């Protein structure tokens, strides 16, 4: 890699931690790379609890004495506990407001300074975040004075008139138990901590970093849609322009291990002339990669995209991303990957507060169990989890963290969260399924409220038009929406929990026979009548849970292993397209995991969940020699 490239003009002060890209492929929680180095602002911050929400009135951002220190990233619950001298995370029951502050030395800016600017990025923080630099409030690149959401990244451009040699960064974080905000399985005013509802984990949960970016550039988001039959790839890129004019968008595709820095020739390349105005714009372009091999769990083939935005002087602002060509379809009773039927051997995964190192162990263990699908359950997670799945060849089923009540405002918040997630996750071939809701959390009136069903139908149609690379589930588990007899879900999913094998067989038979009531906890379909005739794949998207008292089943590992084998056998005897076992690791009160949450060790035999491979029949032992 050419380290003399002007994008390498950011040099960190000795007191800061610098993360060169050439040494660590992607240390930051994002999918797209830049040629710049980054200055992490993680570490010790000053911290104060604003118990009476007085900080805005009293202008704390202009300067104050902070009573405590806190380590960023980390949850506000742990920071509150540490400030109180407690070892366990502190619980709050209505509202929490906390302030963080630190100084950083401005790194030297390389030439040409006229073409670059500093950008500050929060990997995630929330639910409500305000940021000040030297007492001046910042606005996000999207123009927000207040950023809402706690699961995805957001950025601020730092203009020269705001910067000093030493800068003071102030952050106010606020959250409530508001049931109208996307919460996933964190407790709220509606669902209290205990059982399947977890303690909140909010606030400063991802890294913060400073980097030098071009004034006119491609943003760190790349959408990928493959047309595998023709080896065509549609790339959706986002431009950010301060100086209107004529630009050239240049795309080059390389083998994953090679690129322009190695002197390799691209596998495909094309230029696209663009006239760009000031502001932000999405642009879709298509590139043919005729010799590309497809991505699948058996062969997770990845390629390297180098995208450059070149101005009229020939200056190139560059980003890179890994991508793969793959196609997912729900056709008749089966799911097809790259035009081949595939059975989904899935497992439910709730990483909770696991570190990325622990998540890596979990993913390797899930693959060792024989899974080809991981359902990342209704949570915001470190985005590197998706890259890991790309590399390992694990299919992912992701879900929007749900609100806990159904109102016009909760639907508005839900849609905004979906948009934030999609903007950053479209790159990954591993992501194949999206759930809008789970078990009607946040859509409890789905059976009785036409407005709730209309929102789900409209969002389902939107996903099909704008994001055709995904399968979409409207409300996973039960109460799918039918409109004029058409299911507004690509999969008919059911959550079936019973520890009794005979009852399990009965439920599966009722499911495949098209019985819509009495199978799951609620009717499988709401709206107008839907008549199942094997025209949509059936997925048992939650089952098992053996070891969790609410679901029954054995505590003993050997008995659990045998029960899982028996239940999986029954699934594969029927025209079912896939299943998702509950679950990968223990989390809080749910003690039903098959993987040690810290070490990644299995408590059951490897390959237990792999029903795609028929085991060889046992061989008779050789006769003794005579």
């Amino acid at each position: 890699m050419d380290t003399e490239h002007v994008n390498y003009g950011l040099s960190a002060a000795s007191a800061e931690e610098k993360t060169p890209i050439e040494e660590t492929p992607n240390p930051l929680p994002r999918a797209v790379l830049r040629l710049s180095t980054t200055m992490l602002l993680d570490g010790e911050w000053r911290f104060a609890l604003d118990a009476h929400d007085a900080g805005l009135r009293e202008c704390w951002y202009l300067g104050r004495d902070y009573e405590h220190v806190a380590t960023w990233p980390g949850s506000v619950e742990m920071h509150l506990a540490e400030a109180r001298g407690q070892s366990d995370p502190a619980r709050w029951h209505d509202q929490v407001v906390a302030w963080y502050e630190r100084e950083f030395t401005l790194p030297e800016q390389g030439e040409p300074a006229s073409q670059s600017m500093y950008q500050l990025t929060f990997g995630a923080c929330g639910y409500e975040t305000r940021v000040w630099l030297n007492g001046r409030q910042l606005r996000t690149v999207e123009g927000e004075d207040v950023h809402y959401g706690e699961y995805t990244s957001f950025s601020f451009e730092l203009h020269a008139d705001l910067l000093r040699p030493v800068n003071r960064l102030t952050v106010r974080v606020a959250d409530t138990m508001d049931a109208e905000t996307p919460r996933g399985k964190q407790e709220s005013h509606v669902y209290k901590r205990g059982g399947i509802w977890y303690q909140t984990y909010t606030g400063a949960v991802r890294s913060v970093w400073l980097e030098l970016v071009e004034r006119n550039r491609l943003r760190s988001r790349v959408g990928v849609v493959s047309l595998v039959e023709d080896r065509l790839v549609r790339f959706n890129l986002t431009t950010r322009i301060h100086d209107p004019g004529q630009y050239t968008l240049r795309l080059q595709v390389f083998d994953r291990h090679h690129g322009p820095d190695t002197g390799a020739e691209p596998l495909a390349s094309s230029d696209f002339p663009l006239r760009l105005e000031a502001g932000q714009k999405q642009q879709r372009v298509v590139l043919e990669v005729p010799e590309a091999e497809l991505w699948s769990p058996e062969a997770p083939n990845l390629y390297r995209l180098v995208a450059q935005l070149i101005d009229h002087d020939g200056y190139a602002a560059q980003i890179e991303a890994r991508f793969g060509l793959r196609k997912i379809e729900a056709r008749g009773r089966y799911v097809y990957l790259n035009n081949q039927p595939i059975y989904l051997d899935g497992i439910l995964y709730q990483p909770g507060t696991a570190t990325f190192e622990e998540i890596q162990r979990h993913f390797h263990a899930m693959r060792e169990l024989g899974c080809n699908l991981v359902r990342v359950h209704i949570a915001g997670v470190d985005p590197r989890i998706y890259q890991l799945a790309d590399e390992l060849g694990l299919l992912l089923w992701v879900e929007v963290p749900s609100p806990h009540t159904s109102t016009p405002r909760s639907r508005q918040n839900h849609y905004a969260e979906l948009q934030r997630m999609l903007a950053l996750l479209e790159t990954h071939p591993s992501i194949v399924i999206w759930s809008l809701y789970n078990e009607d959390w946040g859509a409890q009136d789905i059976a009785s409220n036409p407005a709730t069903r209309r929102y789900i139908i409209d969002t389902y149609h939107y996903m099909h038009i704008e994001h055709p690379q995904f399968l979409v589930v409207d409300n996973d588990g039960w109460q799918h929406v039918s409109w004029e007899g058409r299911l507004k879900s690509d999969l008919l999913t059911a959550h079936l929990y019973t520890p009794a094998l005979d009852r399990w067989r009965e439920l599966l038979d009722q499911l495949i026979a098209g019985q819509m009531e009495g199978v799951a906890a609620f009717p499988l379909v709401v709206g107008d009548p839907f008549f199942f005739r094997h025209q949509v794949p059936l997925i048992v998207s939650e089952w098992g849970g053996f070891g969790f008292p609410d679901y029954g089943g054995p505590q003993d590992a050997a008995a659990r292993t045998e029960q899982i084998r028996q239940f999986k056998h029954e699934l594969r005897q029927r025209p079912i397209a896939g299943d998702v076992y509950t679950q990968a690791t223990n989390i809080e009160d749910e003690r039903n995991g098959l993987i040690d949450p810290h070490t990644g060790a299995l408590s059951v035999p490897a390959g237990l969940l792999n029903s795609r491979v028929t085991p060889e029949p046992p061989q008779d032992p050789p006769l003794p020699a005579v």
Side-chain angles (χ1 to χ4, degrees):
M1 185 175 287
D2 179 13
T3 56
E4 297 303 311
H5 190 287
V6 291
N7 287 7
Y8 275 91
L10 179 59
S11 58
S14 58
E16 307 290 354
E17 182 181 352
K18 187 171 71 172
T19 312
I21 282 176
E22 65 269 27
E23 293 179 7
T24 307
N26 192 10
L28 300 174
R30 63 180 177 186
V32 178
L33 307 180
R34 294 188 178 276
L35 288 175
S36 58
T37 52
T38 58
M39 176 188 290
L40 280 172
L41 299 182
D42 294 347
E44 188 175 282
W45 289 58
R46 295 185 292 277
F47 170 78
L49 174 64
D50 191 355
H52 303 291
D53 196 10
L56 288 175
R57 296 192 306 273
E58 297 174 3
C59 302
W60 287 12
Y61 48 85
L62 296 179
R64 77 180 300 271
D65 292 327
Y66 285 77
E67 303 93 326
H68 309 287
V69 295
T71 300
W72 192 309
S75 71
V76 71
E77 290 78 16
M78 184 54 72
H79 296 158
L80 288 174
E82 291 168 350
R84 297 168 180 169
Q86 302 168 351
S87 58
D88 295 326
R91 298 182 64 184
W92 50 275
H93 300 282
D94 185 29
Q95 174 179 282
V96 61
V97 180
W99 291 69
Y100 298 81
E101 189 169 277
R102 64 159 291 166
E103 280 80 37
F104 66 90
T105 302
L106 191 67
E108 296 178 2
Q109 184 172 343
E111 297 296 334
S114 61
Q115 292 179 321
S116 61
M117 63 194 312
Y118 291 104
Q119 179 172 276
L120 177 71
T121 299
F122 288 72
C125 186
Y127 180 71
E128 176 187 314
T129 307
R130 303 174 195 242
V131 181
W132 293 263
L133 182 68
N134 301 319
R136 298 273 297 276
Q137 186 167 6
L138 301 178
R139 303 187 77 188
T140 66
V141 174
E142 284 70 28
E144 307 165 305
D145 289 321
V146 183
H147 175 77
Y148 295 98
E150 61 180 286
Y151 306 111
T152 54
S153 64
F154 53 99
S155 298
F156 302 88
E157 294 174 339
L158 306 184
H159 297 279
D161 60 342
L162 296 179
L163 292 164
R164 302 171 184 169
V166 178
N167 296 273
R168 179 169 52 87
L169 187 62
T170 310
V171 181
R172 177 187 181 271
V173 176
D175 204 351
T176 72
M177 292 285 177
D178 182 5
E180 292 183 310
T181 63
R183 310 195 61 80
K185 291 179 71 172
Q186 296 183 89
E187 64 177 321
S188 70
H189 289 142
V190 171
Y191 298 121
K192 294 303 182 182
R193 162 74 179 84
I196 64 169
W197 302 104
Y198 308 144
Q199 180 173 332
T200 55
Y201 180 81
T202 188
V205 294
R206 298 276 179 266
S207 291
V208 184
W209 64 90
L210 184 72
E211 62 186 324
L212 199 65
V213 299
E214 297 84 1
R215 286 173 49 83
N216 307 298
R217 63 190 183 277
L218 296 167
R219 295 206 66 193
S220 297
R221 48 191 66 181
V222 178
V224 178
V225 180
S226 306
L227 284 73
V228 301
E229 293 83 359
D230 298 319
R231 296 308 196 261
L232 290 177
V233 186
R234 299 200 311 238
F235 294 104
N236 198 33
L237 297 109
T238 303
T239 59
R240 173 66 174 170
I241 301 297
H242 287 269
D243 305 306
Q246 189 68 32
Y247 291 84
T248 297
L249 176 60
R250 176 170 296 163
L251 299 189
Q252 295 177 305
V253 172
F254 297 86
D255 175 87
R256 64 181 294 183
H257 299 298
H258 301 90
D261 52 305
T262 67
E265 289 296 318
L267 303 175
S269 178
S270 190
D271 286 0
F272 304 89
L274 297 173
R275 173 74 190 181
L276 296 174
E277 303 300 326
Q280 187 162 290
K281 179 182 185 295
Q282 287 193 338
Q283 180 66 49
R284 174 177 287 176
V285 293
V286 179
L287 199 61
E288 185 176 4
V289 190
E291 302 299 323
E293 298 181 356
L294 303 184
W295 184 97
S296 70
E298 295 75 24
N301 298 302
L302 294 173
Y303 292 90
R304 180 176 176 183
L305 171 69
V306 177
Q308 295 178 324
L309 188 66
I310 305 171
D311 65 17
H312 66 279
D313 293 323
Y315 179 83
Q318 180 172 311
I319 60 173
E320 293 189 15
R322 303 292 190 267
F323 74 96
L325 282 75
R326 67 105 182 102
K327 176 183 180 182
I328 193 79
E329 287 182 289
R331 194 191 320 155
R333 67 180 62 179
Y334 297 116
V335 173
Y336 288 78
L337 179 67
N338 301 330
N339 296 317
Q340 298 296 319
I342 181 173
Y343 186 86
L344 302 177
D345 280 315
I347 192 166
L348 192 75
Y349 181 51
Q350 304 184 84
T353 59
T355 66
F356 183 62
E357 290 72 22
E358 290 171 334
I359 289 172
Q360 288 176 299
R361 298 185 197 114
H362 300 163
F363 266 58
H364 283 278
M366 288 185 282
R367 191 173 66 165
E368 189 179 356
L369 276 170
C371 299
N372 62 2
L373 172 78
V374 177
R375 183 173 160 218
V376 184
H377 192 33
I378 207 161
V381 296
D382 189 319
R384 290 175 292 180
I385 195 174
Y386 310 112
Q387 292 175 298
L388 182 59
D390 292 344
E391 297 278 347
L392 294 178
L394 280 169
L395 302 169
L396 294 183
W397 180 338
V398 299
E399 304 173 325
V400 185
S402 63
H404 288 179
T405 191
S406 181
T407 66
R409 179 171 172 264
S410 78
R411 291 190 282 275
Q412 182 180 17
N413 289 336
H414 178 273
Y415 189 75
E417 196 66 59
L418 171 65
Q419 292 295 323
R420 287 189 287 264
M421 295 177 71
L422 284 167
L424 299 173
L425 301 186
E426 281 191 284
T427 314
H428 304 284
S430 57
I431 300 176
V432 293
I433 304 173
W434 280 78
S435 284
L436 303 180
Y437 287 94
N438 175 75
E439 295 185 354
D440 58 59
W441 301 338
Q444 293 92 335
D445 56 356
I446 191 170
S448 59
N449 188 348
T452 300
R453 293 198 299 275
R454 173 48 56 187
Y455 167 71
I456 291 173
I457 291 171
D458 290 346
T459 307
Y460 171 80
H461 288 163
Y462 163 81
M463 291 289 288
H464 267 238
I465 294 169
E466 295 295 329
H467 306 282
Q469 69 270 44
F470 305 122
L471 300 180
V472 181
V473 176
D474 56 350
N475 177 49
D476 185 49
W478 47 67
Q479 299 203 115
H480 299 279
V481 176
S482 172
W483 182 70
E484 296 182 348
R486 289 175 285 181
L487 197 66
K488 296 304 172 179
S489 179
D490 293 325
L491 307 171
L492 182 57
T493 68
H495 295 177
L496 308 180
Y497 285 108
T498 176
L501 186 59
D502 287 343
R503 177 59 176 158
W504 178 244
R505 295 189 183 108
E506 181 183 357
L507 289 173
L508 295 181
D509 288 339
Q510 291 172 348
L511 181 65
I512 64 172
Q515 185 170 320
M516 295 291 108
E517 297 191 16
V519 180
F522 292 91
L524 286 183
V525 176
V526 297
D528 56 35
F530 172 75
F531 301 97
F532 177 70
R533 296 295 186 271
H534 301 285
Q535 72 271 38
V536 63
L538 289 173
I539 305 285
V540 181
S541 52
E542 286 187 28
W543 68 275
F546 302 139
F548 182 48
D550 288 6
Y551 301 153
Q555 300 284 342
D556 176 75
R560 181 187 301 186
T561 296
E562 183 56 29
Q563 191 159 9
I564 291 172
R565 284 197 177 116
Q566 292 174 345
F567 275 50
K568 286 287 281 189
H569 175 76
E570 295 298 330
L571 284 161
R572 293 313 306 272
Q573 301 308 302
R574 293 163 174 81
I576 290 172
D579 67 84
V580 179
Y581 181 80
T582 304
Q583 63 182 331
T585 62
N586 295 339
I587 177 169
E588 297 202 18
D589 290 348
E590 290 194 73
R591 317 300 293 176
N592 51 4
L594 306 180
I595 301 167
D596 186 282
H598 303 296
T599 68
L602 299 180
S603 62
V604 294
L608 180 62
L609 295 181
N610 184 357
S611 67
R612 306 177 307 282
V613 179
T614 302
E616 293 292 331
Q619 300 294 318
D620 292 331
L623 295 174
V626 295

